[in-house]
Amino acid sequence: MTTKNLLVELFVEELPPKALKKLGEAFAGVLFEQLKAQGLATAESALTSFASPRRLAAHVTDVSAQAADKAVRQKLMPVSVGLYADGSPTPALEKKIKSLTNPNVDVGKYIVECVVREHDGKAEQLVLSRMAVGTTLLVGLESALEEAIANLPIPKVMTYQLADGWSDVKFVRPAHGLVALHGSEVVAVQALGLKAGNSTHGHRFEASVDPVVLKDADSYAETLAKDGAVIASFAARRAEIVRQLAAAATRLGGGVKAIDDDALLDEVTALVERPNVLVCEFEKEFLDVPQECLILTMKANQKYFPLLDAAGKLSNRFLVVSNISPLDASAVIGGNERVVRPRLADAKFFFDQDRMKTLASRVEGLGKVVYHNKLGTQGERMERVQAIARVIARQLKEAGVQDAHDGNAEEAAMLAKTDLLTDMVGEFPELQGTMGRYYALNDGLRGDVADAIEDHYKPRFAGDELPRGTTGVVVALADKLETLVGMFGIGNLPTGDKDPFALRRHALGVIRMLVEKDLPLGLGELVDAAGPVFGDRIAHAPRALTDFIYDRLAGSLREQGYSAQEVDAVLALRPQRLGDVAKRLAAVRAFAALPEAPALAAANKRVGNILKKAAGTVDAKINPALLQETAEKSLAEALQTVAPKAEAAFASGDYAASLQALAALKGPVDAFFDGVMVNAEDPALRANRLGLLATLHQAMNRVADLSKLAA
């Protein structure tokens, strides 16, 4: 059967720019999968998706006008249910066959032609066996279109009325045209109240003809570009914008380049049909405002591309991606410069006004901002963060960290949220912390305090940088622990994909700081220290929080390539210093590679099970006088030699050596289990042997729970 290429386009009013890329991919992807499922397209068919502000389209190669006939086999029912003794059909079989075909079918004739008997091993079954006629492109494409439209990830559906004045249609935006071409032939499908044709519309202002008539499916992109002044492909349009941005920056010289922002680039790509990059500028006096403010207002409000010099400093020029290409672009340039000026003036006004009040003078105002109805105001919250920061700083100082000053940490914690009350952050919440640092420096505060005010939000997302200095780390830890302990304390736990207080992100932030900064702090001690600062607002720091943090750590480690067994073995001991976890994992991996490891892991698991079943508490003590069997004496002697070596290596932080020292125990352990009855009738003898096993268990599980490595 011959095949031709297929083109389907839905022409609509301007689509939501932030959703356009996903809409285009989803529309083309579902359409393609539906065509393949119906046998109209094959695994060798290629898909090209198109998405512009006013169209969603898909081009599929090698599409058949009709799918090939295919054999259909379907079990109907047992013979005893479907046929009487004389071979005539029962009502149940008649009803089933009519439901699969049509109500007027000659059931007797159909049974003779299409129903066979087969034995399935239990009973004789009636099986439908026939050749199904392949779906035509007209029917299959209409069905595929319905599925593609129904499964679009639409942010918000619109309901609008069709031209007949009676029918309503629900779609992301009103649709005005439908194209369906199989080669050069129109496929007369319908969707959203529209009938398919071979013409579409180009650029609102710059198309050379309207409507744009398409000769065939393969000429779609070329014809739209030539006659419609539209680059239909999202990827091609994006690449053209990138090219023009780079070219414009190169023409300006001085090493300037457009800011790198994929989200902005995608959004602008979704706003224009034929991009034209223009260079604009603003007054240099605005450069006195922190560049983060200017960059944000240009990107968020105007969708402009700020230009940075080689040192990363903002210049007073910026790039605009226009949707029109007039011969004289001065009016477009002037209009964009005129529009951005009030935005920048507002930013300068906010900055000047905010600097008239110190951050310290704003602390009292935090007491009027509700944080949570069960946890009080932002002012109360920051008092708690201060208290936690004080404890953390003192712990670090006692551990020998030289630049851990509790006074600096307390001051930074007290001021950390005050920029929330400034005009600039009120207008641009994304700048919280960033503006706090600028205002702190303006107030004459120390650099590490100013940095901590900005950095206490870090890490904000996966892969984000950590706070710069010790003061920043202390305040960031305190802030995240306060959130975690408070929310867990009142029962606000994340569920499924819902995590409104970003507790998973906060937990990962705590983990990253403890691990990557290798802080000499115990996780349990930190959580316990944060509990009392809440007073009677929560009962205590919940154990569930510690488990939650270890679960986050386990997930993170598995993503880094460690096996589930390795992670479980290390975290089963709940190591308090998370900075040691990587060393423990490396040691466990090296131990697992030893030939003695499988037997020792299995023995460890066996020992653990024996000790669990023992009555009462088993002390890790050995009475040499009660050692009778040669095997238990050998094991006790081996432990006297191996345990001190393993313990010394563990104490020095050489976890690999600690575990490898255990390899010498394999022989004595095997011999013990082969020749010694642990549950002896003599209570004293039994207790001593259990004590020997407890000593062995203790020695083997200092670095990790080796039983987790057992098969």
Side-chain angles (χ1 to χ4, degrees):
M1 188 176 292
T2 58
T3 62
K4 298 177 184 177
N5 296 342
L6 176 72
L7 184 282
V8 179
E9 184 207 67
L10 198 56
F11 182 77
V12 299
E13 293 183 14
E14 277 74 4
L15 292 159
K18 290 185 178 179
L20 180 64
K21 187 177 182 182
K22 286 184 178 179
L23 288 173
E25 292 169 351
F27 177 78
V30 174
L31 190 77
F32 185 45
E33 291 303 318
Q34 288 294 312
L35 291 173
K36 285 198 294 184
Q38 296 176 80
L40 293 166
T42 68
E44 286 71 39
S45 298
L47 170 69
T48 305
S49 65
F50 299 94
S52 82
R54 297 199 296 159
R55 72 200 73 238
L56 300 173
H59 179 273
V60 184
T61 63
D62 301 325
V63 176
S64 302
Q66 182 171 359
D69 296 347
K70 61 180 180 179
V72 174
R73 292 181 60 80
Q74 181 180 350
K75 186 186 288 187
L76 299 177
M77 59 189 67
V79 172
S80 59
V81 176
L83 296 176
Y84 290 118
D86 62 0
S88 60
T90 64
L93 182 57
E94 289 185 355
K95 184 177 180 180
K96 182 69 173 177
I97 288 175
K98 288 180 179 180
S99 70
L100 294 172
T101 54
N102 67 78
N104 300 317
V105 69
D106 184 335
V107 175
K109 182 180 178 183
Y110 192 85
I111 291 174
V112 171
E113 294 176 352
C114 302
V115 178
V116 297
R117 298 187 183 201
E118 290 184 0
H119 206 285
D120 64 359
K122 295 181 180 179
E124 196 172 22
Q125 301 284 339
L126 293 173
V127 178
L128 176 64
S129 178
R130 63 187 178 87
M131 289 299 292
V133 178
T135 305
T136 64
L137 182 58
L138 176 63
V139 174
L141 180 56
E142 191 152 310
S143 172
L145 255 177
E146 289 177 3
E147 282 294 313
I149 291 170
N151 287 284
L152 283 177
I154 298 174
K156 196 171 183 180
V157 176
M158 287 182 65
T159 300
Y160 60 94
Q161 201 171 59
L162 297 179
D164 62 13
W166 296 98
S167 307
D168 285 341
V169 171
K170 291 184 177 180
F171 193 54
V172 59
R173 291 291 185 270
H176 297 293
L178 177 63
V179 174
L181 288 173
H182 188 225
S184 59
E185 298 174 7
V186 173
V187 185
V189 294
Q190 296 186 37
L192 300 175
L194 301 168
K195 293 181 180 180
N198 66 343
S199 65
T200 184
H201 301 277
H203 196 288
R204 279 192 185 275
F205 311 110
E206 300 191 345
S208 59
V209 296
D210 187 57
V212 176
V213 178
L214 303 171
K215 182 178 67 175
D216 54 40
D218 293 343
S219 63
Y220 176 70
E222 181 185 352
T223 303
L224 260 182
K226 175 173 168 286
D227 297 340
V230 170
I231 301 175
S233 166
F234 188 95
R237 206 163 57 254
R238 191 181 194 272
E240 176 61 15
I241 292 174
V242 170
R243 186 194 67 77
Q244 289 192 36
L245 289 172
T250 301
R251 287 196 303 272
L252 289 172
V256 297
K257 65 175 184 177
I259 197 163
D260 188 12
D261 189 322
D262 284 340
L264 176 63
L265 186 56
D266 284 343
E267 188 173 0
V268 170
T269 302
L271 287 168
V272 298
E273 292 195 304
R274 187 172 69 172
N276 178 33
V277 172
L278 303 172
V279 180
C280 304
E281 63 180 40
F282 57 83
E283 290 77 2
K284 289 186 177 180
E285 65 186 68
F286 290 122
L287 293 177
D288 294 336
V289 179
Q291 69 178 42
E292 293 89 343
C293 308
L294 305 182
I295 290 171
L296 184 59
T297 191
M298 283 192 282
K299 284 171 32 178
N301 294 323
Q302 303 303 133
K303 316 305 175 191
Y304 296 159
F305 287 85
L307 286 167
L308 307 178
D309 64 19
K313 296 293 184 181
L314 181 68
S315 76
N316 71 315
R317 291 181 171 180
F318 59 95
L319 301 178
V320 174
V321 182
S322 173
N323 194 35
I324 56 176
S325 305
L327 294 175
D328 181 4
S330 58
V332 179
I333 293 171
N336 281 284
E337 291 176 345
R338 192 163 53 251
V339 167
V340 78
R341 195 170 293 117
R343 297 283 189 183
L344 303 182
D346 285 346
K348 186 175 187 306
F349 175 78
F350 292 148
F351 185 56
D352 292 340
Q353 289 294 113
D354 288 341
R355 288 183 295 167
M356 293 181 182
K357 290 181 66 176
T358 64
L359 292 180
S361 70
R362 299 179 187 272
V363 172
E364 186 178 348
L366 292 174
K368 300 174 184 177
V369 180
V370 175
Y371 168 56
H372 192 282
N373 62 346
K374 292 183 180 179
L375 296 175
T377 64
Q378 280 285 7
E380 292 172 299
R381 178 172 183 249
M382 294 322 295
E383 288 175 3
R384 295 193 292 265
V385 173
Q386 272 186 278
I388 298 170
R390 186 186 310 122
V391 172
I392 295 173
R394 287 177 182 172
Q395 288 180 354
L396 289 174
K397 197 169 185 179
E398 290 169 3
V401 179
Q402 297 299 318
D403 57 347
H405 303 295
D406 51 353
N408 291 4
E410 281 191 70
E411 184 177 20
M414 177 182 71
L415 302 175
K417 302 295 183 185
T418 51
D419 67 347
L420 296 178
L421 303 178
T422 63
D423 291 338
M424 186 71 83
V425 175
E427 181 71 15
F428 301 111
E430 302 94 328
L431 294 176
Q432 58 186 353
T434 301
M435 295 313 302
R437 178 179 180 277
Y438 279 109
Y439 296 144
L441 293 174
N442 181 71
D443 294 346
L445 299 180
R446 290 179 298 276
D448 64 331
V449 173
D451 289 344
I453 291 173
E454 177 179 16
D455 289 353
H456 85 279
Y457 288 104
K458 297 177 181 177
R460 297 174 188 254
F461 50 85
D464 190 20
E465 61 183 9
L466 297 180
R468 282 163 279 195
T470 301
T471 302
V473 170
V474 169
V475 180
L477 272 175
D479 182 65
K480 289 168 177 56
L481 285 168
E482 192 279 339
T483 301
L484 288 164
V485 172
M487 290 303 163
F488 268 75
I490 62 174
N492 265 358
L493 279 62
T495 56
D497 61 347
K498 294 181 180 178
D499 188 7
F501 293 94
L503 301 186
R504 295 186 181 97
R505 177 165 57 81
H506 283 313
L508 286 171
V510 170
I511 290 166
R512 281 193 59 199
M513 284 184 278
L514 292 176
V515 171
E516 295 177 33
K517 296 288 186 179
D518 195 16
L519 299 177
L521 299 170
L523 178 61
E525 293 176 359
L526 286 175
V527 173
D528 291 341
V533 304
F534 286 87
D536 59 0
R537 288 191 179 275
I538 64 171
H540 54 81
R543 177 177 173 78
L545 172 57
T546 309
D547 293 339
F548 176 76
I549 294 175
Y550 278 115
D551 285 345
R552 295 296 100 199
L553 175 58
S556 175
L557 292 171
R558 285 193 291 268
E559 288 176 1
Q560 294 172 41
Y562 295 105
S563 72
Q565 279 186 318
E566 292 167 345
V567 172
D568 290 346
V570 171
L571 297 191
L573 300 186
R574 290 292 192 259
Q576 289 301 297
R577 278 196 61 173
L578 301 191
D580 282 349
V581 168
K583 288 168 61 179
R584 289 177 185 248
L585 284 164
V588 167
R589 182 169 285 181
F591 172 79
L594 297 175
E596 298 87 352
L600 285 173
N604 188 277
K605 186 174 183 178
R606 185 175 178 182
V607 170
N609 290 334
I610 292 171
L611 294 175
K612 284 178 186 176
K613 294 175 182 177
T617 303
V618 179
D619 294 327
K621 294 180 180 178
I622 306 171
N623 183 350
L626 293 175
L627 297 173
Q628 295 184 353
E629 303 289 344
T630 302
E632 61 182 326
K633 291 178 182 178
S634 298
L635 178 56
E637 290 172 4
L639 275 173
Q640 284 182 337
T641 303
V642 171
K645 292 180 181 178
E647 181 60 31
F650 177 84
S652 68
D654 190 349
Y655 299 137
S658 180
L659 284 180
Q660 287 170 11
L662 301 176
L665 293 174
K666 179 183 180 298
V669 169
D670 288 347
F672 177 87
F673 282 117
D674 287 341
V676 178
M677 174 68 72
V678 176
N679 289 321
E681 292 184 9
D682 183 342
L685 196 59
R686 180 170 64 249
N688 195 55
R689 288 173 178 173
L690 287 172
L692 175 60
L693 291 182
T695 305
L696 172 66
H697 196 257
Q698 190 178 74
M700 293 181 75
N701 294 305
R702 292 287 280 152
V703 176
D705 182 352
L706 299 184
S707 69
K708 302 293 184 182
L709 300 178

